[in-house]
Amino acid sequence: MIVMKFGGTSVGSVNAFAQVAQIVARSAAEEATKPRPGVAVITSAMSGVTNLLIDAATKAAHGSATSHHEITATLAKKHGEVLEHFIANRAERATLERMLEERLEEFERLCSSIAVLGELTPRGLDLVSGLGERINAPVLAAVLRSQGVAAESVDAVEIVATDRAFGEAEPLMEQTTERCRARLLPLMERGIVPVVTGFVGATLDGIPTTLGRGGSDYSGAIVGAVLDVDEIQIWTDVNGVMTADPRIVPNARSISQLSYEEVSELAYYGAKVLHPKTVIPAVRKRIAVRVLNTFEPEHPGTLILEHSNSEEYGSVKGITAIRGMTLMTIAGRGMAGVPGIAARAFGAVARSNANILMISQSSSEVNICFVIPHNSVASTEAALRD
């Protein structure tokens, strides 16, 4: 039993959808012969769609009452091309076109409401930004059916329960486990591939949330963990985790094997191939994670395990970089030998809700340095000065 998550570029065009259908069909056939058969698919929005949705909502909050109309037309065309290419059955295509129209009407209403209020709240942003996945899951399920794969779309709002931290929601694993197993396992036992919306979930009272940008990876790991699958596959547009960003380092190579800890560090410090939280659910269940390339499916990619046996590149596996960071320093002779200075400093930083990525202290105890995102500098400095 496996979970296969496909990113935005993997479902970004008609040709990409065709490639995904071939990969899923082959995997479904292979899994059907195993003792624990079953395939679940997690999908992102089509490439670029989430950015368009967020851009429209942001412009609406700044007073634009019409800019979202153009984006609505773009989204209708982008998804309509896929339906026209794959869905020959007129009745099914009409049903999908109605679904698309209803979702886009919802998007229009949300943008109009945001424009009237003049404010984009985290809750409102989650409603808008999650629409791309909620459109795409029914489309991908229909494409799979058109290619001979039994598939059914499932909205993660129904099965992934989260807290109310809009924009960066965390799953409530007990409720999510119960809902996922009840909804997905019966489908998989009948040989049907559930196609689940990535990135989104909902509070216990049904309010849609999102798991943070890139959260479809996290969705795949959550579903894989609660179903106790044998492997979680992350399908993207590169040959696994690379030794460096290939856009910056042209001769970067794929790494055949990494540990959970190693890939977490790489992801946290800038490797974009995985969401930083992806491996957390997998670690708890000791499930293997494999990163693969949709457009080179024969490439072995990167296998992520509890312990890596690979020493092919020595102890240093890769190099990453994060932009938009600031090094902040607290210094002064009055700090030397004074107990509790670090605790007071980092207590103030915590109260400002800044995310500290690195900390260092001089041996003389008169200097503490830490790295935070640039957008947290003003609030952190104010908290420290207070």
Side-chain angles (χ1 to χ4, degrees):
M1 186 181 291
I2 61 172
V3 162
M4 311 175 76
K5 177 266 171 179
F6 291 94
T9 52
S10 297
V11 287
S13 66
V14 166
N15 289 339
F17 270 87
Q19 185 73 7
V20 167
Q22 290 180 17
I23 291 168
V24 174
R26 183 180 65 186
S27 295
E30 290 173 356
E31 289 298 311
T33 65
K34 295 183 179 179
R36 293 182 70 234
V39 173
V41 168
I42 313 296
T43 183
S44 297
M46 288 185 73
S47 179
V49 165
T50 303
N51 287 338
L52 287 172
L53 293 167
I54 293 172
D55 183 56
T58 303
K59 287 178 178 176
H62 287 90
S64 173
T66 58
S67 60
H68 55 274
H69 296 323
E70 183 179 342
I71 290 174
T72 299
T74 299
L75 296 178
K77 182 174 183 293
K78 194 175 182 73
H79 295 90
E81 287 174 350
V82 177
L83 296 178
E84 184 176 349
H85 182 85
F86 288 102
I87 313 304
N89 183 290
R90 291 185 179 181
E92 183 173 19
R93 192 194 303 177
T95 299
L96 290 162
E97 286 170 347
R98 280 197 301 274
M99 176 279 299
L100 176 58
E101 186 177 345
E102 288 169 3
R103 292 293 188 204
L104 293 178
E105 285 175 356
E106 181 182 356
F107 166 64
E108 293 260 334
R109 286 195 301 272
L110 287 168
C111 286
S112 296
S113 299
I114 291 165
V116 170
L117 292 171
E119 180 184 10
L120 180 56
T121 64
R123 176 173 168 175
L125 183 58
D126 275 6
L127 282 168
V128 173
S129 60
L131 285 172
E133 281 75 11
R134 298 179 74 186
I135 291 171
N136 204 39
V139 171
L140 178 56
V143 169
L144 292 177
R145 290 193 297 270
S146 75
Q147 303 302 299
V149 179
E152 181 178 318
S153 67
V154 177
D155 196 330
V157 167
E158 304 171 23
I159 60 173
V160 178
T162 74
D163 60 19
R164 299 177 66 89
F166 297 104
E168 290 286 345
E170 286 294 330
L172 304 175
M173 293 304 289
E174 182 179 346
Q175 294 88 341
T176 298
T177 299
E178 182 180 338
R179 294 178 183 184
C180 280
R181 294 182 73 85
R183 182 73 173 89
L184 303 181
L185 287 178
L187 293 175
M188 297 168 77
E189 287 166 2
R190 286 157 39 209
I192 297 171
V193 175
V195 180
V196 182
T197 52
F199 181 49
V200 299
T203 62
L204 291 176
D205 50 352
I207 301 169
T209 58
T210 66
L211 304 176
R213 290 307 301 270
S216 291
D217 289 348
Y218 196 18
S219 298
I222 291 165
V223 172
V226 301
L227 295 182
D228 290 316
V229 300
D230 301 307
E231 186 172 279
I232 298 165
Q233 298 180 355
I234 307 295
W235 291 84
T236 180
D237 58 356
V238 292
N239 289 327
V241 182
M242 310 290 283
T243 52
D245 187 338
R247 294 167 296 185
I248 300 171
V249 183
N251 62 340
R253 298 163 294 183
S254 59
I255 306 168
S256 65
Q257 197 174 107
L258 288 168
S259 69
Y260 293 137
E261 185 177 1
E262 287 168 337
V263 81
S264 294
E265 290 289 305
L266 287 167
Y268 189 74
Y269 287 105
K272 299 300 184 186
V273 70
L274 280 179
H275 188 285
K277 295 179 181 177
T278 298
V279 299
I280 295 173
V283 168
R284 292 172 182 154
K285 294 290 185 76
R286 297 183 178 178
I287 298 171
V289 178
R290 195 181 296 272
V291 184
L292 297 156
N293 189 345
T294 303
F295 307 102
E296 288 187 44
E298 303 308 319
H299 193 283
T302 301
L303 180 63
I304 302 163
L305 302 163
E306 186 176 9
H307 301 291
S308 168
N309 298 320
S310 172
E311 293 297 333
E312 59 188 313
Y313 303 123
S315 56
V316 176
K317 300 296 176 66
I319 298 172
T320 62
I322 312 179
R323 294 175 173 81
M325 294 290 125
T326 294
L327 179 68
M328 186 169 280
T329 304
I330 309 168
R333 289 188 297 275
M335 294 171 61
V338 179
I341 284 287
R344 287 169 57 193
F346 293 120
V349 176
R351 287 192 293 276
S352 73
N353 292 319
N355 182 24
I356 299 177
L357 283 85
M358 283 186 172
I359 300 169
S360 70
Q361 183 176 15
S362 65
S363 57
S364 63
E365 297 185 342
V366 298
N367 183 300
I368 299 173
C369 298
F370 53 92
V371 177
I372 57 174
H374 185 65
N375 58 14
S376 298
V377 169
S379 59
T380 301
E381 183 179 356
L384 287 166
R385 292 190 182 280
D386 285 348

